[in-house]
């Protein structure tokens, strides 16, 4: 079985891949087979490298709850905190301790590595500087209306989601009734053509109706 370097699986894209495999239901043993290591190696990586452990844990948890909580938070007035950091060089003794610890772990995972390879890996993975928080800014954010609409339409569909369709159906029903009434009146007018005095006139224009009334009034006089 080919040996896989843990460093590769600490890269963001591969952490997402690990999380996706776990979310798809793969066991640690199956994930180990995909990577090309033993199940015990996966366990060692999880104990040593928090990013790998977190990726597998998040993948196995129900992501929907996290998304739902995020959505709920946007529907309420909330605050966002941003922090500005300053890069400060680590204390010499602390840096030395971190490098020694990393080299020891690297040797365990790569027993055939040369001294030069170990030093290069240490330089790449142990930062000389650390971030120190300096300024913290708190911003108040108003509720997200789109999130509220989405939530209500899905949580209370009878009240919110179908209102547009309901109004459209009601409008179509009223239109159909009106058209039926006009058709009935037109049919009645055709039947009464032989009796002008009892004639039913259908007029769509108010001005024409007024002209007709004025004409009948003048005729009567």
């Amino acid at each position: 079985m080919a040996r896989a370097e843990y460093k590769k699986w600490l890269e963001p894209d591969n952490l997402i891949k690990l999380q996706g495999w776990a979310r798809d239901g793969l066991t640690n043993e199956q994930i180990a087979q995909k990577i090309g290591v033993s199940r015990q190696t996966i366990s060692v990586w999880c104990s040593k490298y928090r990013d790998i452990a977190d990726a597998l844990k998040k993948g196995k948890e129900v992501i929907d709850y996290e998304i739902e909580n995020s959505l709920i938070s946007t529907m309420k007035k909330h605050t966002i905190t941003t922090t500005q950091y300053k890069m400060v060089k680590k204390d010499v003794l602390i840096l030395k301790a971190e490098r020694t610890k990393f080299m020891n772990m690297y040797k365990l995972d790569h027993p055939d590595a040369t001294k030069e390879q170990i030093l290069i890996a240490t330089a790449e993975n142990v930062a000389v500087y650390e971030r120190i928080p300096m300024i913290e800014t708190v911003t108040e954010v108003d509720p997200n209306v789109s999130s509220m609409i989405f939530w209500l339409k899905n949580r209370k569909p009878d009240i919110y989601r179908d209102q547009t369709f309901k109004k459209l159906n009601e409008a179509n029903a009223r239109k159909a009734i009106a058209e039926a009434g006009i058709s009935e009146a037109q049919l009645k007018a055709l039947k009464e053509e032989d009796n002008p005095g009892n004639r039913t006139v259908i007029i769509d224009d108010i001005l024409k109706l007024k002209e007709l009334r004025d004409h009948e009034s003048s005729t009567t006089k």
Side-chain angles (χ1 to χ4, degrees), residues 207-219:
L207 292 177
K208 290 182 179 179
L209 178 60
K210 185 175 183 303
E211 291 176 0
L212 178 63
R213 287 179 176 174
D214 292 343
H215 174 72
E216 290 179 347
S217 178
S218 61
T219 303

Side-chain angles (χ1 to χ4, degrees), residues 103-213:
M103 285 190 288
N104 290 335
M105 290 191 299
Y106 192 85
K107 288 177 184 177
L108 290 175
D109 286 332
H110 307 82
D112 299 328
T114 64
K115 183 177 180 180
E116 183 180 1
Q117 290 174 330
I118 295 173
L119 290 174
I120 292 173
T122 304
E124 290 177 346
N125 290 275
V126 179
V128 177
Y129 290 84
E130 62 180 335
R131 295 196 309 167
I132 304 298
M134 300 295 293
I135 302 174
E136 193 172 78
T137 305
V138 179
T139 305
E140 193 172 67
V141 182
D142 290 329
N144 187 303
V145 177
S146 298
S147 296
M148 296 167 69
I149 294 173
F150 176 83
W151 178 268
L152 290 172
K153 281 185 176 181
N154 285 276
R155 296 284 288 187
K156 297 185 176 181
D158 295 337
I159 300 175
Y160 295 96
R161 184 188 297 176
D162 298 327
Q163 286 303 302
T164 301
F165 298 104
K166 182 179 178 181
K167 290 179 180 179
L168 181 61
N169 290 335
E170 291 175 350
N172 287 334
R174 289 194 298 270
K175 181 181 178 182
I177 293 172
E179 290 176 346
I182 292 174
S183 298
E184 184 178 350
Q186 289 174 337
L187 179 62
K188 183 178 179 181
L190 290 174
K191 291 181 178 179
E192 294 175 349
E193 281 184 349
D194 294 337
N195 186 1
N198 194 30
R199 181 167 54 91
T200 300
V201 180
I202 300 174
I203 298 176
D204 295 330
D205 196 320
I206 299 298
L207 292 177
K208 290 182 179 179
L209 178 60
K210 185 175 183 303
E211 291 176 0
L212 178 63
R213 287 179 176 174

Side-chain angles (χ1 to χ4, degrees), residues 88-112:
V88 178
K89 195 170 185 177
K90 294 178 181 176
D91 180 80
V92 176
L93 293 178
I94 293 176
L95 182 59
K96 183 177 180 180
E98 290 180 355
R99 285 176 172 173
T100 301
K101 182 179 179 180
F102 179 87
M103 285 190 288
N104 290 335
M105 290 191 299
Y106 192 85
K107 288 177 184 177
L108 290 175
D109 286 332
H110 307 82
D112 299 328

